[in-house]
Structures are given as C-alpha cells and as structure tokens.
C-alpha cells in the first residue's frame, strides 16, 4: 500500500529508530494522572453532580456549535441557521434547552468577528449558564492551532503553525507562542483550545494533518508538544493533544472518509505514542480522539473514537491518563461510516470519552444518550464519572470562581505590540531556505529592486489579510522594493502563464508562491515558463515543504518553505528573502525526490543560511 511505503521511507529518513529510546524516556508519563485530585474539591463537585437532573448531567457531556455573534441577539440569518440545525434561536436558548457543558467557536458560525465581540459572546454564554438551575459555567473552546487552522484572526496575534515551529526547533519559542495564544484566548473567554497537534506526520500525502504537525521525528514532536502544553496551560487555557492514537500516517481525510492506519503495535509505540506520552507527562488537560481505525490496537474495525480497547485500555489504563477525553467532531464522516448518529455518542461514552463534540444533530445525540442511561445500557455512575472530570477541569480553570472576562483585559492582552513583535521574531526563525545554488539571496533592493510576485492564492486562514501574492508583494514594498503582484492560482492556464511571463519582462527577480505541487501540476508549467525568461525565480512553498521536490533542478534560483500562508509567515519569508533576517529554519520532515520517492532529496535538519 502506498502509505506504508512512504512511512517506512520516512522512518529511515528521520532516523526514527531514536524514537524507541524516546519511548523509554517518556514511558513514565503513562503512570501519572493528568492532574492530582483534591479530595475536598471532589466532594464539593460530587455534591453539585448529585443535585443535577439526569438531563443536566447528560448535557454536560456535549460541546456544541451555535451560530451568531451574540448569545442573546444574533443576526436573523444566524437565528434561522440555529433553528434549522439545533432547534433553538440563540446560544442562550441552547444552554437552557440542552444544559450543554461547552460551546465551540467557529469563524464560519460568525462567532469570531472581533476581540470585544468575542469577549461579549463569551460573557453572554456564561451569564446564560449561571441563570440555569445547576449554575455550572461552560467550557468555551475553539481550534486555534495557528498556521493553517486559526479561528480567531487579526487583530489578535497571528503565530506560526506547528510545522513552522518544528522548523524553528526551539522549545522556548514554541512554548512562548503557545503562551501568547493562550493568554489572548483566555482574555476572550475561550478557555479550552484544541491544540497542540500531537500527530507525527510521516506521510507526505497526508491530506488532513501535514503542516499541522510539528514534524516527522517522534522525539522532536514530543518535545514541542510538551512545550506547547505548558505554554497554553500556564496562560490559563486548557490544552488538547490530538488526535489520539495518532493521525500522522494516512492518505485519507477523516472529514470525508475513515482512514486505516496499518502501524504494528511496535510501530505505534515508537512512532505515534511518544508525543501523547509527553503531553500526559506535561499534565495535559484534555486529549482529542481520532476517527481512524488502527487494527493493531483494536481489530474490531471501529474508529478510535468508539474503541474501548484504545481509549480505556491504552489511553486510560496503559498511559494512565485520567483527564478529559473529547471526541473529534461527530459530524465528520470518519465516525459516521459504521454507525448511525444515534449510536455514535453512546458508543463513544462506552469507549471512555467524556466530551461529545459537535454532533450533526444535537437532539438525536442528546436523546440517544439519555435513553441509553434510562434503558440501562450506560450507567448513571458512568455519566457522573465523565461529568466529574469535566467539572474538575472547569474548577482548575477558575470558572466556578469567575467565568467572565473584561473589555480592559481584551485591550491589555489581545494583539498588543509585545505579542506582535514576539510573533515576528519567532516566525523569522522558522523560515527555511532549502536551495540557493547561485547564492542569489539575499536580494538587494539596490540591484534587484524591481520584483514580480506571482503564484497560488488559496483562501486565507481566518482573519488574515490575503491573498498570499498580495501579502507578499506588500511586505516587499514595505522593505523598499518596487513590487507588482499577479495572482496565477493553483492551476494557471496558458493565458495566465503568458500574462505572468509578460509581466516578468524588465523585472530583476520573480517570487513564485507555490501550493501543494504534484507531478504534472500547472504550477510547474508556470515556473518553467518564468525560468525560461532568464529572470531569476525565487520559489516559496507556502504550505507543504514537499513542493521543493518538484522545484529543485528546474533552474529555480532559490527555494524556501514558509509552512503556511498567514500574514506573519509570509512577511517573515519576505524579510528573509530581502536579508532583513537570516534563514534559521531547518526541515522538520524529509523531502523525498519527486522522481524516486524512496530516496531523500533534503533530509530532516536541512536548511541553508547566510
């Protein structure tokens, strides 16, 4: 199978044999609970649970999406969407009707317009929770990995994503980035972040993880995962290691299908387990499950989210983790292929899950769990076990003491100059120069002042200015270059390529932004045509560094990797190209040859400087 070949090649390329030693070093993590329990706190929380109705207990297990910028007064279109999908009008009604224990924010659900609005939404949701009979505050969560997955954008601080931080290789930078992100989320009333990604990306064809991973070496990924856990949680936000038991070696996207990971048990121990062990040792607050089948860990064919051998047998009992376990979104196809939407939440709880994230139909899922308890399939004691874990987490986050945030706290924390400067400096240390055979770089604005920026313009991550060619051109202009931008897209046609060639005439250099190049890609035809003009071409792989395999040897003057196309990463790449910063990044994954994937073109640790 193709993904097995790539995995074995990459294991060799990254010297993953060292992961066996790492597993031994980190195995102690599997013997300690995420956090020590406090008997007096537990007694108080058990009294709260004892006062809850069954409906309230079941509700605590759910984390649900809701449309709108306000908890009580969303726009009419969002009211209509809520009525259609959930049967309520507002977030406040959602809390009242279903007693949910958490709400997840999405930019597409119009939850994240601007910092003060987000803080107001969070306060409105907590106020709604405190008016219910049980008066239990909510966990408010989001996916703020940074890089290509970013729900809260500017003016909040944008930071490099995981693979970029992996290229930087600095535990202190990685921890600092997480602390900044966590502090800003906490100021917005978001208290649970679904990050860091603990997957080890050993499959270049991975369509769902890729640059969301810190890299392909288990030991290095483990170190950076632990650093981010400490960064987030010291800033007052619950971190979440995902996607257990490891989503790094798949060519199937679990949003649209059910991936099968063919690792042996030993391979899982050496490759996938170390980052999760490190997260547990760092006292991670929550772990997110993966909708993947791992036959070596559970031969039943059930996805890990629904697997008791994986979640209870391995995560709970072998690794000793007793914190909160949250599913990945229950609306993803990977968890819906084998069972109906009424069975999935029940089976997840029986497997050992605590939080049920974003079911496609909340009424179906909520009532299914309720009926499973009433019918004896799930004991009420089992439900209370998960509720206790959830309430312990809410207690550690200080939500029972004070769940509200202030406008002053937003202004003092979110997008402040110190954070923005730190983000720029950290990101500069991640930009990776892969090839510069003619020593073209850095570009001098005296001899190479007239630049053309062309290339792919994928949709920008939340809250970034975009498109990438415009952002890059703007950055070069600010650095004193005379720059023109021309978007040619991910599949430029002949007319667009001809337009780019014409625009290159009289330029001193061309910067091409590439995006996930494959053999035969029209982006390569664009690069070849530009190289043929005789104008030096600098290529920036704005997502996967694997683009370099297709660019090397085509006459391109220089190749760099930015690992994402957010503003902060593109601006850093421009500063490196212009010599305002030295390239310090080193590949955290190997790049295999395009003509022979069994051979490595650029190994882990490769990176040039000047």
């Amino acid at each position: 199978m193709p993904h097995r070949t790539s995995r074995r090649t990459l294991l060799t390329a990254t010297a993953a044999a060292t992961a066996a030693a790492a597993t031994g070093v980190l195995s102690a993590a599997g013997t300690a609970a995420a956090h020590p329990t406090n008997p007096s706190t537990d007694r108080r929380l058990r009294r709260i649970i004892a006062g809850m109705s069954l409906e309230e207990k079941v509700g605590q297990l759910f984390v649900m999406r809701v449309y709108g910028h306000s908890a009580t007064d969303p726009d009419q279109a969002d009211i209509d969407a809520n009525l259609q999908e959930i049967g309520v009008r507002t977030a406040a009604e959602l809390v009242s009707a279903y007693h949910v224990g958490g709400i997840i924010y999405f930019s597409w659900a119009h939850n994240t317009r601007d910092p003060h609005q987000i803080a107001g939404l969070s306060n409105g949701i907590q106020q709604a929770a405190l008016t219910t009979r049980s008066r239990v505050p909510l966990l408010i969560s989001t996916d703020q990995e940074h890089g290509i997955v970013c729900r809260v954008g500017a003016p909040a601080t944008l930071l490099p994503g995981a693979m970029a931080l992996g290229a930087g290789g600095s535990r202190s930078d990685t921890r600092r980035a997480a602390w900044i992100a966590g502090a800003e989320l906490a100021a917005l009333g978001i208290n649970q972040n679904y990050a860091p990604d603990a997957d080890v990306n050993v499959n270049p064809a991975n369509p769902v993880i890729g640059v969301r991973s810190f890299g392909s070496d288990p030991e290095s990924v483990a170190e950076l995962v632990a650093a981010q856990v400490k960064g987030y949680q010291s800033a007052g936000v619950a971190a979440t290691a995902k996607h257990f038991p490891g989503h790094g070696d798949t060519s199937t996207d679990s949003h649209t299908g059910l991936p099968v990971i063919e690792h042996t048990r030993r391979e899982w121990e050496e490759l996938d387990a170390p980052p999760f062990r490190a997260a547990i040792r760092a006292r991670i607050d929550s772990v997110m499950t993966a909708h993947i089948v791992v036959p070596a860990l559970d031969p039943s064919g059930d996805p890990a989210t629904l697997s008791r051998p994986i979640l209870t047998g391995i995560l709970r009992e072998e690794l000793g983790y007793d914190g909160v376990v949250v599913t990945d979104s229950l609306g993803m196809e990977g968890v819906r292929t084998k069972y109906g939407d009424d069975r999935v939440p029940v089976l997840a709880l029986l497997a050992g899950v605590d939080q049920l994230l974003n079911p496609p139909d909340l009424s179906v899922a909520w009532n299914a769990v309720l009926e499973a308890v009433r019918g004896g399939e799930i004991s009420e004691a089992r439900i209370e076990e998960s509720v206790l874990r959830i309430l312990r987490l809410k207690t550690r986050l200080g939500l029972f003491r004070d769940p509200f945030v202030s406008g002053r706290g937003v202004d003092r924390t979110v997008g402040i100059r110190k954070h923005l400067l730190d983000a720029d400096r950290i990101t500069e240390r991640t930009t990776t120069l892969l090839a510069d055979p003619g020593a073209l770089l850095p570009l001098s604005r005296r001899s190479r002042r007239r630049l053309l920026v062309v290339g792919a313009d994928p949709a920008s991550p939340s809250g970034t200015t975009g498109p990438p060619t415009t952002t890059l051109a703007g950055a070069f202009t600010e650095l004193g270059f005379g720059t023109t931008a021309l978007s040619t897209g991910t599949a430029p046609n002949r007319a667009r390529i001809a337009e780019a060639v014409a625009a290159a005439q009289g330029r001193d250099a061309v910067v091409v932004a590439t995006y996930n190049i494959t053999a035969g890609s029209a982006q390569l035809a664009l690069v070849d045509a530009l190289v043929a003009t005789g104008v030096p071409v600098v290529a920036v792989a704005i997502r996967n560094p694997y683009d370099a395999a297709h660019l090397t040897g085509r006459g391109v003057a220089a190749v760099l990797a930015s690992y994402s196309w957010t503003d902060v990463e593109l601006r850093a790449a421009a500063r490196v190209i212009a010599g305002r910063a030295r390239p310090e990044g080193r590949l955290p994954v190997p790049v295999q040859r395009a003509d022979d994937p069994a051979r490595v073109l650029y190994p882990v640790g490769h990176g040039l400087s000047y």
Side-chain angles (χ1 to χ4, degrees):
M1 298 175 67
H3 68 282
R4 288 186 64 83
T5 300
S6 65
R7 169 170 50 78
R8 293 189 186 282
T9 300
L10 282 161
L11 281 172
T12 301
T14 59
T18 59
T23 302
V25 171
L26 296 173
S27 61
T31 62
H35 289 273
T37 58
N38 183 308
S40 62
T41 298
D42 273 7
R43 284 193 295 271
R44 177 174 60 83
L45 296 179
R46 290 183 193 280
R47 286 196 296 271
I48 293 173
I49 295 170
M52 290 181 177
S53 66
L54 177 58
E55 290 81 0
E56 289 169 329
K57 294 173 189 175
V58 168
Q60 280 295 309
L61 310 179
F62 284 91
V63 181
M64 189 60 184
R65 69 190 179 279
V66 66
Y67 291 86
H69 70 288
S70 164
T72 56
D73 189 27
D75 295 339
Q76 186 60 48
D78 292 322
I79 292 174
D80 294 342
N82 285 329
L83 287 170
Q84 180 178 352
E85 294 187 17
I86 313 173
V88 299
R89 293 166 52 85
T90 68
E93 288 184 13
L94 170 63
V95 173
S96 176
Y98 287 99
H99 319 290
V100 292
I103 285 178
I104 180 172
Y105 286 171
F106 292 104
S107 52
W108 52 259
H110 310 139
N111 304 140
T112 57
R113 289 182 178 178
D114 64 74
H116 283 279
Q117 168 270 316
I118 298 169
L121 174 61
S122 299
N123 284 341
I125 288 170
Q126 298 293 8
Q127 184 61 48
L130 296 186
T131 61
T132 63
R133 192 181 69 89
S134 62
R135 296 178 59 83
V136 175
L138 271 73
L139 285 168
I140 298 176
S141 60
T142 198
D143 293 281
Q144 190 77 348
E145 298 175 19
H146 285 280
I148 71 170
V149 177
C150 188
R151 309 302 187 203
V152 180
T157 303
L158 297 172
L159 293 147
M163 191 170 285
L165 290 168
S170 167
R171 283 178 289 181
S172 60
D173 278 356
T174 300
R175 180 170 180 167
R176 176 63 180 168
W179 188 91
I180 292 170
E184 296 198 6
L185 289 176
L188 300 173
I190 299 172
N191 42 56
Q192 184 177 22
N193 190 20
Y194 297 140
D197 193 305
D199 302 309
V200 180
N201 197 75
V202 295
N203 191 336
N206 194 323
V208 64
I209 304 301
V211 294
R212 297 168 63 192
S213 163
F214 289 105
S216 63
D217 176 64
E219 185 175 8
S220 298
V221 173
E223 289 180 349
L224 299 184
V225 164
Q228 288 232 302
V229 170
K230 294 172 183 176
Y232 284 124
Q233 293 184 181
S234 64
V237 168
T240 308
K242 61 186 186 185
H243 307 78
F244 189 83
H247 209 320
D249 186 11
T250 176
S251 56
T252 301
D253 186 342
S254 52
H255 290 86
T256 57
L258 179 56
V260 178
I261 308 294
E262 298 287 358
H263 292 181
T264 65
R265 174 64 191 241
R266 180 175 179 179
E267 287 170 337
W268 178 81
E269 290 279 0
E270 295 179 352
L271 178 65
D272 302 291
F276 292 100
R277 293 183 185 273
I280 293 169
R281 185 175 64 176
R283 295 187 171 180
I284 185 81
D285 278 325
S286 50
V287 172
M288 179 178 284
T289 68
H291 305 325
I292 58 174
V293 172
V294 189
L297 305 185
D298 180 358
S300 71
D302 285 343
T305 297
L306 310 181
S307 169
R308 185 170 179 82
I310 292 175
L311 298 187
T312 297
I314 295 176
L315 180 58
R316 295 274 192 220
E317 295 173 357
E318 291 185 26
L319 301 187
Y321 179 67
D322 194 36
V324 170
V325 174
V326 56
T327 70
D328 206 342
S329 171
L330 297 184
M332 293 166 61
E333 194 61 30
V335 79
R336 303 174 74 190
T337 57
K338 191 173 178 181
Y339 302 99
D341 291 338
D342 59 335
R343 291 299 297 159
V344 165
V346 173
L347 294 173
L349 291 170
L350 290 171
V353 158
D354 301 304
Q355 288 186 302
L356 301 162
L357 176 62
N358 203 27
D361 189 321
L362 179 59
S363 177
V364 167
W366 191 82
N367 281 295
V369 174
L370 203 60
E371 290 307 311
V373 178
R374 288 172 174 164
E377 184 178 8
I378 301 177
S379 69
E380 193 162 352
R382 168 66 190 88
I383 298 297
E384 291 176 351
E385 177 185 321
S386 286
V387 175
L388 179 60
R389 290 194 187 101
I390 294 166
L391 297 191
R392 282 173 178 162
L393 177 53
K394 292 180 178 183
T395 299
R396 283 200 302 276
L397 294 171
L399 297 179
F400 282 100
R401 183 177 65 252
D402 181 9
F404 299 107
V405 293
S406 69
R408 180 178 296 179
V410 171
D411 293 335
R412 284 198 307 245
T413 309
V414 179
I416 60 174
R417 179 174 173 77
K418 170 63 173 169
H419 290 177
L420 296 173
L421 290 174
D422 282 354
D424 281 341
R425 298 292 85 77
I426 290 169
T427 310
E428 285 176 354
R429 293 190 280 270
T430 72
T431 303
T432 307
L433 177 58
L434 300 174
D436 185 16
L440 176 71
L441 301 185
L443 293 181
S444 167
R445 62 181 176 179
R446 293 180 179 177
S447 59
R448 303 280 184 185
R449 184 178 181 278
R450 295 167 298 174
L451 303 183
L452 172 67
V453 176
V454 302
D457 273 333
S460 294
S462 301
T464 66
T465 55
T469 53
T470 301
T471 301
L472 272 172
F476 282 118
T477 298
E478 290 177 5
L479 292 170
F481 292 85
T483 315
T484 300
L486 174 64
S487 175
T488 50
T490 56
N493 56 28
R494 290 182 180 178
R496 203 62 168 164
I497 291 173
E499 186 179 355
V501 167
Q505 303 303 318
R507 298 287 168 171
D508 298 314
V510 178
V511 177
V512 182
T514 68
Y515 182 88
N516 293 3
I517 292 178
T518 57
S521 168
Q523 294 179 65
L524 291 177
L526 169 68
V527 170
D528 290 342
L530 290 168
V531 168
T533 67
V535 179
V537 175
V538 177
V540 182
I542 62 173
R543 182 167 178 164
N544 289 332
Y546 309 116
D547 286 7
H550 300 279
L551 296 166
T552 301
R554 305 187 87 92
V556 175
V559 181
L560 301 95
S562 68
Y563 307 98
S564 178
W565 61 103
T566 61
D567 300 5
V568 68
E569 283 152 315
L570 294 177
R571 291 196 309 269
R575 289 195 298 276
V576 167
I577 291 169
R580 297 298 181 88
R582 296 174 62 246
E584 297 182 30
R586 300 292 182 265
L587 274 176
V589 294
V591 173
Q592 296 156 268
R593 290 176 59 109
D595 59 348
D596 185 1
R599 297 173 62 192
V600 173
L601 177 65
Y602 298 121
V604 170
H606 173 77
L608 307 177
S609 192
Y610 40 78

